[in-house]
Amino acid sequence: GDDNVKNNIKKLRIERNITQTQLTMMTGIPTATISGLETGKRDIANHEFKTILALAKALNVNIEDLVGE
């Protein structure tokens, strides 16, 4: 469920040595949103597809890897 999603973003980001600020610069997604997704305060399902796509592209993964079970 949602736990997977928040963990994936943070795990993938850390694996790639990308900070939240860098991810914001790469995607145009506000740092607060990225932080919220990582901590589970925000549900990725409530975000636009383009947001999810931008994160997947920046982290160089498939969308399935980002939001996968």
Side-chain angles (χ1 to χ4, degrees):
D2 297 340
D3 286 346
N4 248 349
V5 175
K6 72 180 186 207
N7 290 336
N8 280 353
I9 293 172
K10 185 166 193 175
K11 181 173 70 105
L12 292 164
R13 179 174 64 73
I14 289 169
E15 277 174 5
R16 285 155 178 74
N17 288 313
I18 298 171
T19 65
Q20 286 184 350
T21 305
Q22 286 171 318
L23 198 53
T24 290
M25 285 166 33
M26 292 161 75
T27 60
I29 298 164
T31 311
T33 301
I34 292 168
S35 177
L37 287 168
E38 287 188 354
T39 57
K41 288 193 174 76
R42 292 167 183 255
D43 183 357
I44 201 162
N46 294 337
H47 287 76
E48 291 182 36
F49 184 72
K50 67 179 183 184
T51 298
I52 300 166
L53 186 63
L55 282 168
K57 277 189 172 173
L59 294 167
N60 198 29
V61 293
N62 296 321
I63 287 172
E64 293 76 29
D65 296 326
L66 204 60
V67 300
E69 290 309 309

